[in-house]
Amino acid sequence: MTHLDIALWGALPYIVLVVLVAGSAWRYRYDRFGFTTRSSQIHESRLLRVGGPLFHYALLFVIGGHVTGLLVPEMVTDRLDVSENSYHDVALIMGGGAGVAAVAGLAILLYRRLRVPAVRRATNGTDRAVYPLLAAAMLGGLVATASSLANPYDYRLGVSVWFRSLFDLDPDVAAMAHAPFVYQLHALLGMAMFMLWPFSRLVHALTAPVWYLARPYVVYRSRAVPYRHPAARPGDAPATGAGRAPR
């Protein structure tokens, strides 16, 4: 191992984590109303209706594949009687298919952003850095997946071991240092993306409306014509309706 290996695979992941957490907290504290996607749907929705769901739903499968591949040790699938060939075939078909769909959705969204003048003007400097980085990271993942057809490298015995060792605060630098370059590049692009995450529109992924499930009743007042009792005097205040609306 070299000093560069130790810096990249031993120290950099924790620096990324600190920037991600501290940056998200800072953004929420000082830019709470900017903690959104800055939606541009009002300018064009036809391409957005296709590219948006395609990208986001496919990305959920991609994330699920990463979680399974990185966090689930090989001994678990062995105990479940899942053969190595079956595991890699499923990962290749489902992971590769989801990756292609996510890249296609992102391509549509990028085409829309470049094609529609109003959307293009709404793109800030951070977005111009994040979009190419996101595209490169996703393409790198596809290349790594495709390389498994010709390369017998088992990432669950290398990259996954390194990733899980980070949680033990004892990084297995050698496991990642001996991984093929395409896996190393994919990991570096992913870490760079997470460093920019708090300062871009990607931060909206942290704004899931979980409090909506426990929100209180809404108290409202009717805007109907106020009811006046026939015997009421001219100076009496009219009655107004009030109630509680269920969630």
Side-chain angles (χ1 to χ4, degrees):
M1 293 186 298
T2 65
H3 293 297
L4 181 60
D5 291 330
I6 296 174
L8 292 179
W9 315 121
L12 183 59
Y14 298 107
I15 296 175
V16 172
L17 180 61
V18 171
V19 173
L20 176 62
V21 174
S24 299
W26 175 87
R27 178 79 179 271
Y28 185 77
R29 174 65 176 82
Y30 294 101
D31 187 26
R32 187 173 302 180
F33 292 103
F35 223 77
T36 68
T37 60
R38 297 194 299 275
S39 175
S40 57
Q41 184 178 4
I42 189 174
H43 300 302
E44 195 280 339
S45 59
R46 182 174 59 88
L47 291 172
L48 186 62
R49 284 198 299 268
V50 177
L54 180 62
F55 171 71
H56 286 91
Y57 286 122
L59 191 61
L60 290 177
F61 283 95
V62 171
I63 294 173
H66 279 71
V67 170
T68 303
L70 294 175
L71 296 180
V72 178
E74 190 174 18
M75 63 179 182
V76 174
T77 53
D78 290 341
R79 290 180 179 177
L80 296 175
D81 292 330
V82 178
S83 67
E84 194 67 20
N85 290 334
S86 298
Y87 176 88
H88 284 288
D89 289 343
V90 172
L92 180 63
I93 295 173
M94 295 189 64
V100 170
V103 169
L106 180 61
I108 295 174
L109 295 177
L110 291 178
Y111 171 75
R112 169 183 175 271
R113 188 159 292 275
L114 294 174
R115 175 179 174 272
V116 180
V119 180
R120 186 169 62 249
R121 287 193 296 269
T123 305
N124 60 28
T126 307
D127 295 333
R128 294 187 181 93
V130 168
Y131 286 133
L133 187 60
L134 180 59
M138 295 176 66
L139 290 173
L142 283 179
V143 172
T145 301
S147 68
S148 63
L149 293 173
N151 190 343
Y153 175 74
D154 189 351
Y155 67 89
R156 292 201 295 168
L157 299 179
V159 178
S160 299
V161 172
W162 164 76
F163 185 78
R164 292 195 299 271
S165 71
L166 296 176
F167 295 93
D168 297 329
L169 302 181
D170 185 19
D172 191 341
V173 176
M176 194 63 186
H178 293 96
F181 174 74
V182 65
Y183 289 90
Q184 295 178 344
L185 180 61
H186 183 53
L188 289 174
L189 290 172
M191 286 191 285
M193 186 181 64
F194 280 112
M195 287 193 74
L196 286 177
W197 191 291
F199 314 106
S200 68
R201 68 177 63 232
L202 295 177
V203 76
H204 78 275
L206 304 177
T207 59
V210 293
W211 294 110
Y212 182 85
L213 301 175
R215 69 186 180 94
Y217 288 103
V218 178
V219 179
Y220 70 92
R221 292 188 179 277
S222 173
R223 293 185 179 180
V225 177
Y227 170 76
R228 183 182 296 274
H229 194 276
R233 293 174 295 181
D236 292 343
T240 59
R244 288 164 62 85
R247 289 179 293 177

